[in-house]
């Protein structure tokens, strides 16, 4: 009996994989699907990032006897005002900094190497360098040059990629407000409709599973938006104090990269340190000090208040997930892999419990 069930399961999986493989050979099926995903991924991502922070505000306004539709429109008006103010004050500066960074990236390596060579000639540094280390120093500078070229190529490509959604601006503006409006308006109805997908006797289990997924995603996305926004305010104030170039661009990068647990803090600190070092070694030191202080405030003050507890995922699992997500989808893959894993983990646990529940009930019968 077990063997028959095992072979049936194996044959079913093999058949599904065969169908998928054969389907990939048919371009007229998978090319439209690929195009649809590439077109909708950015609007869906923006919608999700706005839905979870705005939903508590809509629920709060609804409790104050304001109709849900009017609550959403009121928040839309507030968002429009913020976007207009940013487009007037912040966007021109951010746009110019992005263009300047991408244009000047090839020259950054030479500037950093020159700063390192100046630093090597300082008496304080030379006393720590062994005698006859000039050959080793030349080799190290060559390796540093190769590494920096790789880093700046990576930064240029990904910064360009992060701003490429501007080319789809019409699509984003046309779809995000509509999807977000109906998600917020039919929030309670959506949960009920999803529960209807489960068979009658598993409907309560399905409700519990969906609630856990919703709570996990809400805590991660809404909490991370608030924490990252507060972190970026701290960073921007610090960068303005030391007059760090590309400060708004670096803060913008830090906001998105810090959605990535553990690695995001390092990834966002690398361009800050490089830009600071280009100006002067002392500027590089002060920029790193500001990043460290802001991260300490985030980790020890902001996250305990907003999150209450950390992600229920082992750090080793997070690192593996980020490596896989980065290899499959770059920065976007690293941003999406943790929420997808959280939802999949909760779903698998509950579906397995439903399977055990059904198995026990069938044996009792």
């Amino acid at each position: 009996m077990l063997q028959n069930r095992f072979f049936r399961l194996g044959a079913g999986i093999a058949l599904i994989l065969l169908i998928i493989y054969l389907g990939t050979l048919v371009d007229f099926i998978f090319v439209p699907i690929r195009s649809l995903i590439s077109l909708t991924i950015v609007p869906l991502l923006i919608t999700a990032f706005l839905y979870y922070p705005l939903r508590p505000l809509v629920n709060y306004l609804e409790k104050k006897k304001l109709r849900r539709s009017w609550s959403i429109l009121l928040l839309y008006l507030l968002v429009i005002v913020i976007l207009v103010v940013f487009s007037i004050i912040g966007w021109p500066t951010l746009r110019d900094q992005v263009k300047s960074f991408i244009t000047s990236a090839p020259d950054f390596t030479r500037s950093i190497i020159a700063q390192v060579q100046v630093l090597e000639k300082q008496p304080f540094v030379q006393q720590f360098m062994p005698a006859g280390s000039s050959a080793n120093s030349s080799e190290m500078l060559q390796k540093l040059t190769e590494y920096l070229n790789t880093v700046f190529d990576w930064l240029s490509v990904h910064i360009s990629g992060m701003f490429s959604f501007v080319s789809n601006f019409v699509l984003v503006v046309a779809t995000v407000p509509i999807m977000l409006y109906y998600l917020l308006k039919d929030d309670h109805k959506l949960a009920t409709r999803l529960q209807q997908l489960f068979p009658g006797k598993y409907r309560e289990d399905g409700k519990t599973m969906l609630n856990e997924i919703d709570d996990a995603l809400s805590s991660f996305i809404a909490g991370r938006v608030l924490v990252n926004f507060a972190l970026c305010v701290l960073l921007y104030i610090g960068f303005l104090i030391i007059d760090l170039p590309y400060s708004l661009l670096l803060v913008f990068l830090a906001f998105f990269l810090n959605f990535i647990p553990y690695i995001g803090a390092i990834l966002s600190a690398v361009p800050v340190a490089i830009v600071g070092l280009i100006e002067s070694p002392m500027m590089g030191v002060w920029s790193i000090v500001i990043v460290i202080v802001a991260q300490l405030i985030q980790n020890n003050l902001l996250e305990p208040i907003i999150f209450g507890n950390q992600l229920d995922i082992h750090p080793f699992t997070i690192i593996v997930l980020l490596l896989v997500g980065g290899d499959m989808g770059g920065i976007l893959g690293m941003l999406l892999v943790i929420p997808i894993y959280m939802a999949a983990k909760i779903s698998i646990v509950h579906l397995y419990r439903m399977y055990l529940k059904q198995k026990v009930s069938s044996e009792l019968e």
Side-chain angles (χ1 to χ4, degrees):
M1 181 67 178
L2 290 174
Q3 289 183 345
N4 291 337
R5 185 184 305 169
F6 172 79
F7 284 119
R8 284 200 304 270
L9 179 63
I13 294 174
L15 183 60
I16 291 172
L17 293 176
L18 179 62
I19 292 172
I20 293 174
Y21 171 72
L22 293 175
T24 57
L25 302 178
V26 185
D27 287 342
F28 72 86
I29 294 178
F30 273 84
V31 169
I33 294 175
R34 199 181 305 120
S35 301
L36 178 64
I37 293 174
S38 63
L39 284 173
T40 58
I41 185 65
V42 172
L44 287 173
L45 186 61
I46 296 174
T47 301
F49 272 68
L50 292 174
Y51 168 70
Y52 282 107
L54 291 179
R55 185 177 62 176
L57 297 176
V58 173
N59 293 337
Y60 174 79
L61 292 174
E62 190 178 24
K63 290 179 181 178
K64 296 297 181 180
K65 308 304 180 183
L66 187 64
R67 290 181 57 184
R68 194 169 185 85
S69 56
W70 285 107
S71 302
I72 299 170
L73 293 176
L74 181 63
L75 290 177
Y76 270 31
L77 180 61
L78 178 62
V79 171
I80 290 172
V81 171
I82 294 173
L83 291 176
V84 169
V85 172
F86 176 75
S87 65
I88 296 172
I89 299 175
W91 176 250
T93 302
L94 181 61
R95 180 191 58 209
D96 294 341
Q97 289 184 4
V98 171
K99 290 181 179 178
S100 175
F101 185 90
I102 294 174
T103 304
S104 305
D107 300 325
F108 286 163
T109 301
R110 291 192 293 270
S111 301
I112 294 177
I113 296 299
Q115 292 288 357
V116 172
Q117 290 174 336
V118 171
L119 194 62
E120 283 183 336
K121 297 177 182 178
Q122 298 296 324
F124 176 77
V125 176
Q126 285 185 346
Q127 66 180 339
F128 295 101
M129 297 177 66
S133 60
S134 57
N136 293 333
S137 175
S138 177
E139 185 179 348
M140 288 179 60
L141 286 176
Q142 184 178 356
K143 290 181 179 179
L144 180 62
T145 302
E146 295 174 359
Y147 173 75
L148 289 173
N149 285 329
T150 303
V151 170
F152 285 123
D153 289 342
W154 184 88
L155 284 173
S156 298
V157 169
H158 283 83
I159 288 174
S160 301
M162 290 181 69
F163 286 88
S164 64
F165 71 88
V166 176
S167 61
N168 295 325
F169 181 75
V170 175
L171 177 65
V172 171
V173 170
T175 56
V176 169
I178 297 172
M179 290 190 295
L180 182 61
Y181 176 83
Y182 284 106
L183 270 179
L184 291 171
K185 185 175 181 296
D186 299 331
D187 179 55
H188 304 299
K189 296 179 182 178
L190 179 63
T192 303
R193 289 170 184 168
L194 289 175
Q195 292 168 23
Q196 301 299 321
L197 298 175
F198 294 90
K201 61 180 180 179
Y202 298 115
R203 198 152 290 166
E204 282 301 316
D205 296 319
K207 180 180 178 181
T208 304
M209 182 185 80
L210 293 173
N211 288 338
E212 284 191 22
I213 293 174
D214 183 65
D215 291 341
L217 294 179
S218 177
S219 175
F220 178 75
I221 296 176
R224 188 55 63 181
V225 167
L226 294 175
V227 167
N228 287 2
F229 180 78
L231 173 69
C232 289
V233 170
L234 294 174
L235 289 174
Y236 192 59
I237 293 173
F239 293 162
L240 289 179
I241 291 174
I242 65 173
D243 196 22
L244 183 69
Y246 305 106
S247 55
L248 188 58
L249 172 61
L250 295 172
V251 166
F252 188 85
L253 287 174
F255 178 80
F256 287 100
L257 291 175
N258 275 277
F259 277 94
I260 306 171
Y262 304 118
I263 296 178
I266 300 173
L267 291 177
S268 62
V270 170
V272 173
I274 291 174
V275 170
L277 186 60
I278 290 171
E279 289 296 300
S280 69
M282 204 61 202
M283 179 72 79
V285 172
W286 278 114
S287 61
I288 290 299
V289 169
I290 289 172
V291 170
I292 292 174
V293 171
Q295 291 287 350
L296 287 173
I297 294 173
Q298 176 197 19
N299 296 334
N300 297 289
L301 182 62
L302 298 177
E303 286 192 356
I305 293 174
I306 295 175
F307 284 110
N309 52 16
Q310 299 296 321
L311 290 175
D312 186 22
I313 308 176
H314 194 277
F316 178 79
T317 305
I318 291 178
I319 299 299
V320 172
L321 289 171
L322 294 177
L323 291 174
V324 174
D327 183 65
M328 294 181 65
I331 294 294
L332 186 61
M334 297 174 78
L335 290 172
L336 292 175
V337 69
I338 299 298
I340 290 173
Y341 172 80
M342 293 166 65
K345 178 183 176 183
I346 295 171
S347 300
I348 291 171
V349 170
H350 280 274
L351 290 174
Y352 182 69
R353 289 176 182 172
M354 293 179 198
Y355 167 74
L356 291 179
K357 184 177 178 181
Q358 188 268 339
K359 185 177 179 181
V360 170
S361 63
S362 63
E363 288 177 355
L364 291 176
E365 292 175 358

